[in-house]
Amino acid sequence: MIRHTLRSLATLLFAALIGSIVVFVLVHMLGGDVVTVLLGREAAPKDVQFMRQKLGIDRPLVVQYLHWLRGVATGDLGTSYGMGYDIFHEIVRRMGPTLILTLGGLLISIPLSLVLGTYSAINAKKVRGGIVDVVAQVGISIPAFWAGLLLVLVFGVRLGWLPTGGYVPFSDDPLGSIRSMILPVMALSLGVTAVFTRYVRTAMIDVMNEDFIRSAMARGRTRRGAALVHGVRNASIPLVTVAALQFGQLIAGAVVIENVFVLPGIGRLIVTATLGREVIVVQSLALVIMLIVLVLNFLVDIAYGFLDPRIRDKEAANA
Amino acid sequence: MKLFQQTGRRGRRRLGVTLVAALAVAGWTGGTATARVQRPASTADRSKTLIATLPQEPASWNYWEVGANALRVPTFYNVQETLVEDKPDGSIVPMLAESWTISDDGLTYTFKIRTAKFHDGSDLDSADVVYSMKKNAESPLSKLSAPHQNVASVTAVDARTVQIVLKQPSASFLKELGNSAGYVVPDKFLEEHDAKKEMIGTGPYVFSDYKPDTSLTLKRFDGYWGTKPFFETIDWRFVDDETAALNGLLAGEYDFVTSVLAEGIERVATFSKDTKFKVLFESAGEVSYLWLNTTKKEFQDQRVRQAIAHAINRDEAIAVYDGYADPTCLMVVPYAEPYNSDYCPYTYDPEKSKALLKEAGYENLEIDYPFANVASHPFTMEVLTQQLGAVGIKVKSRSQELTTWLDKTWAQGDYGMSEIRDSANILQYGCKGGREPLGKSHPLCVKEFEDKLAVADSNTDPQKYQAAMSDLVKTFADLAWVTVISAPKVPQIMRANLDGIQEVRINNAVDVRSAHWTG
């Protein structure tokens, strides 16, 4: 078990390191740097060189990368070139809207998909089960930004019930904060719910063919009762795993949603930092996101070790 | 689980009622919390806050090293002021200099500095002006520094008098002091403050609260030397998505969308017809033009350049802006300068274009055309590609993200032709040492133009200056290295009762000094 944990941890750190190198190289391949953004079209080459020197981006790329990596090792992500903000503090500040968005999306998607997926599985051979399935398929195929725009037009512009965009911190106005996040969370959770519903449906159909369901029904449970009492519990365990693994997808969805709803979260910071060629901000963000996703994967991996006796047995056999 | 089992028809009905009630509560709170607060319904409860959207946000607020228009748009005139003020009709009026005299030889400018306060409470005096002018001269931004390269000395004669001596007469110098080159900040501002995060000026609004990716709040400055503006607070919101900005305007969350440049153009006509809104077509201080790489062999032949210019149908090209642009052939910025005219040496004539290409031996001309994939540039690319294709020129277009375009195309010169919207004055198109708006790697150096440019700027007689400038812009058009297409009018959409927004944008600024609600 310890060996399994250590191996997973080493893989996590190695993956994060490789990921940060890939991001570093890709951002540099885009062309242009933060000085191009700052000075714009007007600057003379000598002034561009002066600014590059001032910001330390005239050094070889390897030196720049290692300098950043040394900072990371000591817990210092550095400061942004343009606005001069502390990157770590900025990421923490931006986590609020993104966590509300992603966790809110998960909190809505998981129970909703359990209900819809189970309903669809129980009624798999009936029209109403098929309808849920078709709706889930449609949900998967609707892009998040389009769903967001439709929600804005209906609930923001047409009905005027909810804000069309912007973020209100909870500390400033709790009700305003909740209202500002309703549409973004709905837009983000739509596709995720659809994916989870399909997953729960498939898992439930499998579970419904298990012996223990037949046993429960033989003891007098109805098919629906057996599904709800015994089936949902079994089908939902892998759903939690999938939800953890889907977190990366949720962050990707947050990039789109935060831009549609003008939310100052991590996703928007990724876009503005990339467009502004704030290389160390992009690198740091990529590292943090990768670590979050990898830690979740790591925890799932560890959980498998505990939950699945076959992994423990394999470890013992190899020892 | 028991709950599920017991949930019969009655339970489901109860659930439905709860959901409807929840939605109704959400709807009710929606009407009171945000929308109504931000929608002034009558003159009595009208807010003294103006909420306006900006499509871009600068990388930093350091005016000394950030060249992006995004910095000037919300702050020029509103927060920061200059020595003099350039007016849309080309005239120059006092600002922080309440008066000035120019010596007969056109070399010595003596400014009388007005009594004013900076936002930090300090008094404006000659030392601040001398410091600011010297710092502007050192800026890496040529917009700030280029006009000062002709300055021999800047001295404080006394606490309220500053003297600037030029190396040679310059007709444009005073005008440039109404641009970024004339910014005035407190003495030692750049050394003692973090200019990336704060801005101290003498304008009617104080740079109050900046939230990255969200907003910039300006508060009315009680110690302002001039007429105090109507609005107590200006809340600039950074909304780069035009659709989101226009939806927010429709929903009553914003009062004013400052620029509609891309996908929102198609919605302008709808807003124009809606009595709740007003569309102001701002004559931007910009022109749209295509320009050619001066190092390419094929473009050394003037017939090829003329052929390209003749292939451009400006009336059709302004469809990119849904017609909200004036077709023009001259590089005149601002568009209202007195030396502007309808002179056009190469009008749309595809047959002549084909004939010129044939005569020059370039019937199968191919041009590499990288374009910035923002604002109107992709649409302009489509139009130009089609028009040049109609005369047999094969255009190979390449989409580039703006910063990539700035680096690869603009700075490194990897292009055959490209298109841009620029606010640079014709005097800044000089060969080397100027602002070189034709790209950093391939400046335009034509003796005929250079000679006329030098004469025009050293002309201190106003009438002769206008005549020389008229001649200069015509010569520039004749050369056909640059084909000016149009002077776009940027739609600004606002609530119908918002008044006082300027129709001509000077120095890229959205000037809200006179903005107010009307009855």
Side-chain angles (χ1 to χ4, degrees):
Chain A
M1 193 60 216
I2 293 170
R3 182 183 295 183
H4 176 74
T5 307
L6 288 174
R7 195 165 55 227
S8 299
L9 195 62
T11 310
L12 183 155
L13 292 173
F14 185 68
L17 188 71
I18 296 295
S20 73
I21 293 172
V22 169
V23 169
F24 182 77
V25 171
L26 284 178
V27 176
H28 277 94
M29 278 172 66
L30 286 175
D33 58 25
V34 69
V35 174
T36 316
V37 177
L38 285 172
L39 300 185
R41 296 198 301 261
E42 298 173 26
K46 69 173 174 51
D47 295 319
V48 171
Q49 189 51 35
F50 164 76
M51 284 294 286
R52 284 188 177 139
Q53 213 168 345
K54 190 177 156 190
L55 296 173
I57 57 172
D58 60 332
R59 296 169 300 169
L61 293 183
V62 176
V63 175
Q64 288 182 53
Y65 178 78
L66 290 177
H67 180 79
W68 171 79
L69 198 61
R70 195 163 51 239
V72 172
T74 57
D76 177 17
L77 294 178
T79 53
S80 77
Y81 297 124
M83 216 51 90
Y85 55 75
D86 182 276
I87 296 170
F88 178 76
H89 287 134
E90 188 64 12
I91 290 175
V92 170
R93 194 178 73 81
R94 303 270 193 146
M95 273 293 178
T98 306
L99 284 179
I100 294 172
L101 191 59
T102 49
L103 295 180
L106 276 180
L107 283 176
I108 288 177
S109 300
I110 291 174
L112 197 59
S113 60
L114 275 172
V115 173
L116 293 173
T118 305
Y119 183 81
S120 174
I122 293 170
N123 299 290
K125 290 176 183 169
K126 295 174 185 162
V127 174
R128 53 179 182 263
I131 289 173
V132 173
D133 199 30
V134 169
V135 170
Q137 290 280 23
V138 172
I140 290 170
S141 45
I142 291 178
F145 81 92
W146 193 55
L149 283 176
L150 287 178
L151 289 169
V152 165
L153 286 173
V154 174
F155 294 101
V157 177
R158 184 80 185 164
L159 300 172
W161 289 0
L162 295 162
T164 61
Y167 173 68
V168 181
F170 194 79
S171 52
D172 288 4
D173 174 8
L175 183 63
S177 179
I178 292 167
R179 293 184 68 247
S180 73
M181 293 307 289
I182 291 175
L183 292 183
V185 168
M186 278 171 71
L188 185 66
S189 59
L190 187 73
V192 182
T193 305
V195 171
F196 287 176
T197 300
R198 294 277 298 159
Y199 189 84
V200 171
R201 182 183 187 274
T202 310
M204 276 299 290
I205 287 173
D206 288 345
V207 167
M208 291 303 286
N209 291 324
E210 293 288 341
D211 291 342
F212 63 85
I213 294 289
R214 275 196 291 274
S215 302
M217 287 170 72
R219 286 204 302 272
R221 289 260 186 215
T222 61
R223 182 174 161 77
R224 194 172 70 170
L228 293 177
V229 176
H230 304 288
V232 172
R233 195 180 300 165
N234 280 282
S236 60
I237 292 170
L239 178 65
V240 174
T241 312
V242 173
L245 298 176
Q246 277 278 325
F247 196 75
Q249 291 296 318
L250 275 171
I251 295 275
V255 173
V256 177
I257 294 298
E258 285 177 11
N259 280 284
V260 170
F261 288 94
V262 202
L263 302 172
I266 293 291
R268 203 163 150 80
L269 185 60
I270 291 172
V271 174
T272 50
T274 307
L275 294 178
R277 299 297 189 273
E278 288 275 12
V279 179
I280 54 169
V281 179
V282 180
Q283 262 170 257
S284 304
L285 275 169
L287 184 76
V288 169
I289 292 168
M290 277 187 291
L291 281 173
I292 291 173
V293 173
L294 290 169
V295 164
L296 282 172
N297 287 355
F298 171 72
L299 292 176
V300 168
D301 219 9
I302 298 298
Y304 270 140
F306 282 109
L307 295 172
D308 193 341
R310 286 169 297 186
I311 293 180
R312 283 203 301 271
D313 294 346
K314 197 175 167 188
E315 288 283 329
N318 291 338
Chain B
M1 222 33 74
K2 211 169 184 180
L3 178 74
F4 272 104
Q5 286 163 357
Q6 288 174 351
T7 304
R9 187 171 293 172
R10 210 173 59 181
R12 282 200 292 272
R13 194 179 298 154
R14 198 175 296 156
L15 185 68
V17 169
T18 311
L19 277 172
V20 169
L23 280 172
V25 169
W28 176 73
T29 54
T32 54
T34 301
R36 285 183 195 163
V37 167
Q38 293 173 358
R39 286 180 192 176
S42 65
T43 311
D45 67 356
R46 245 167 220 164
S47 167
K48 284 276 187 154
T49 297
L50 177 71
I51 304 174
T53 67
L54 296 170
Q56 290 171 320
E57 183 177 0
S60 137
W61 292 105
N62 188 342
Y63 75 96
W64 189 80
E65 64 181 25
V66 172
N69 291 348
L71 181 141
R72 288 188 292 275
V73 171
T75 59
F76 206 113
Y77 298 132
N78 303 321
V79 177
Q80 282 194 302
E81 293 186 317
T82 46
L83 218 43
V84 298
E85 181 178 352
D86 296 344
K87 301 301 279 184
D89 61 1
S91 63
I92 300 166
V93 298
M95 195 167 231
L96 293 179
E98 59 186 6
S99 64
W100 60 86
T101 56
I102 305 171
S103 64
D104 291 342
D105 61 3
L107 291 175
T108 306
Y109 289 67
T110 307
F111 296 96
K112 198 78 185 164
I113 309 302
R114 77 167 65 250
T115 305
K117 277 193 182 297
F118 285 105
H119 300 148
D120 63 355
S122 62
D123 292 317
L124 167 74
D125 63 20
S126 300
D128 301 309
V129 175
V130 171
Y131 167 81
S132 301
M133 295 305 116
K134 287 183 174 173
K135 271 291 166 189
N136 292 348
E138 295 167 7
S139 167
L141 304 174
S142 50
K143 202 169 228 170
L144 270 77
S145 58
H148 292 282
Q149 305 316 305
N150 185 29
V151 171
S153 66
V154 187
T155 48
V157 177
D158 58 45
R160 307 234 71 83
T161 312
V162 171
Q163 198 172 70
I164 300 178
V165 180
L166 303 185
K167 293 172 188 166
Q168 58 185 45
S170 168
S172 64
F173 181 70
L174 192 61
K175 202 174 185 61
E176 289 289 353
L177 293 183
N179 200 321
S180 313
Y183 273 143
V184 176
V185 294
D187 194 9
K188 298 187 177 59
F189 170 75
L190 289 165
E191 291 77 15
E192 294 175 354
H193 292 81
D194 185 355
K196 289 177 174 179
K197 295 173 186 162
E198 62 179 314
M199 197 175 254
I200 297 178
T202 52
Y205 287 101
V206 180
F207 187 97
S208 173
D209 183 27
Y210 168 60
K211 291 177 183 153
D213 259 352
T214 307
S215 63
L216 168 68
T217 306
L218 307 182
K219 292 282 183 192
R220 194 163 65 188
F221 179 40
D222 290 334
Y224 184 51
W225 60 267
T227 308
K228 288 187 181 53
F230 172 84
F231 287 107
E232 289 169 1
T233 305
I234 307 293
D235 189 355
W236 299 107
R237 303 278 178 88
F238 303 112
V239 185
D240 50 5
D241 185 321
E242 275 180 12
T243 306
L246 293 175
N247 285 342
L249 182 68
L250 276 174
E253 290 161 22
Y254 310 132
D255 302 313
F256 175 22
V257 175
T258 55
S259 300
V260 181
L261 301 164
E263 70 271 13
I265 285 280
E266 290 174 357
R267 296 172 70 181
V268 172
T270 313
F271 276 97
S272 300
K273 289 174 195 156
D274 192 330
T275 53
K276 294 195 290 297
F277 302 101
K278 182 165 68 181
V279 182
L280 205 64
F281 293 98
E282 164 210 291
S283 294
E286 290 184 328
V287 290
S288 154
Y289 61 84
L290 75 83
W291 86 98
L292 306 171
N293 187 326
T294 55
T295 64
K296 298 282 182 191
K297 181 173 163 280
E298 58 271 33
F299 300 140
Q300 303 301 322
D301 189 326
Q302 189 168 10
R303 291 169 298 184
V304 174
R305 305 198 303 268
Q306 289 169 339
I308 290 168
H310 275 304
I312 305 304
N313 182 345
R314 292 175 177 81
D315 292 329
E316 194 179 284
I318 62 170
V320 163
Y321 309 104
D322 239 19
Y324 308 130
D326 290 323
T328 182
C329 302
L330 297 180
M331 182 66 75
V332 178
V333 180
Y335 193 55
E337 285 282 3
Y339 53 85
N340 201 357
S341 69
D342 56 3
Y343 178 80
C344 194
Y346 311 112
T347 50
Y348 177 55
D349 189 342
E351 293 311 314
K352 196 168 182 180
S353 176
K354 286 178 193 168
L356 282 164
L357 286 170
K358 191 176 179 183
E359 192 185 316
Y362 282 102
E363 285 171 285
N364 299 311
L365 184 64
E366 279 190 10
I367 306 179
D368 172 38
Y369 176 7
F371 65 96
N373 58 10
V374 291
S376 56
H377 302 298
F379 308 115
T380 304
M381 179 279 297
E382 285 176 26
V383 171
L384 295 184
T385 302
Q386 182 267 322
Q387 291 185 353
L388 293 171
V391 298
I393 298 171
K394 189 175 179 184
V395 175
K396 289 186 166 178
S397 59
R398 289 187 283 135
S399 171
Q400 290 179 334
E401 187 267 314
L402 182 61
T403 307
T404 306
W405 183 89
L406 280 171
D407 181 50
K408 307 265 188 202
T409 301
W410 189 261
Q412 294 182 33
D414 180 19
Y415 67 94
M417 66 171 242
S418 196
E419 179 268 340
I420 198 172
R421 283 171 63 161
D422 206 343
S423 60
N425 182 288
I426 186 77
L427 292 170
Q428 286 140 11
Y429 284 69
C431 169
K432 290 175 184 170
R435 280 165 56 192
E436 303 162 20
L438 293 192
K440 288 294 160 196
S441 44
H442 310 314
L444 180 68
C445 298
V446 180
K447 191 175 181 308
E448 183 193 1
F449 177 70
E450 290 298 313
D451 290 346
K452 288 187 177 182
L453 189 146
V455 171
D457 194 35
S458 61
N459 215 322
T460 49
D461 179 89
Q463 280 189 332
K464 286 181 181 170
Y465 171 72
Q466 298 298 346
M469 288 298 285
S470 174
D471 187 32
L472 186 69
V473 292
K474 287 174 181 171
T475 302
F476 193 70
D478 290 342
L479 290 170
W481 281 106
V482 168
T483 299
V484 178
I485 302 167
S486 66
K489 293 175 179 174
V490 178
Q492 306 178 101
I493 309 181
M494 61 204 80
R495 299 161 58 81
N497 53 359
L498 179 63
D499 219 346
I501 302 295
Q502 88 284 12
E503 290 190 40
V504 178
R505 198 175 282 197
I506 302 290
N507 292 321
N508 310 108
V510 173
D511 178 358
V512 292
R513 289 175 294 177
S514 304
H516 60 277
W517 299 123
T518 56

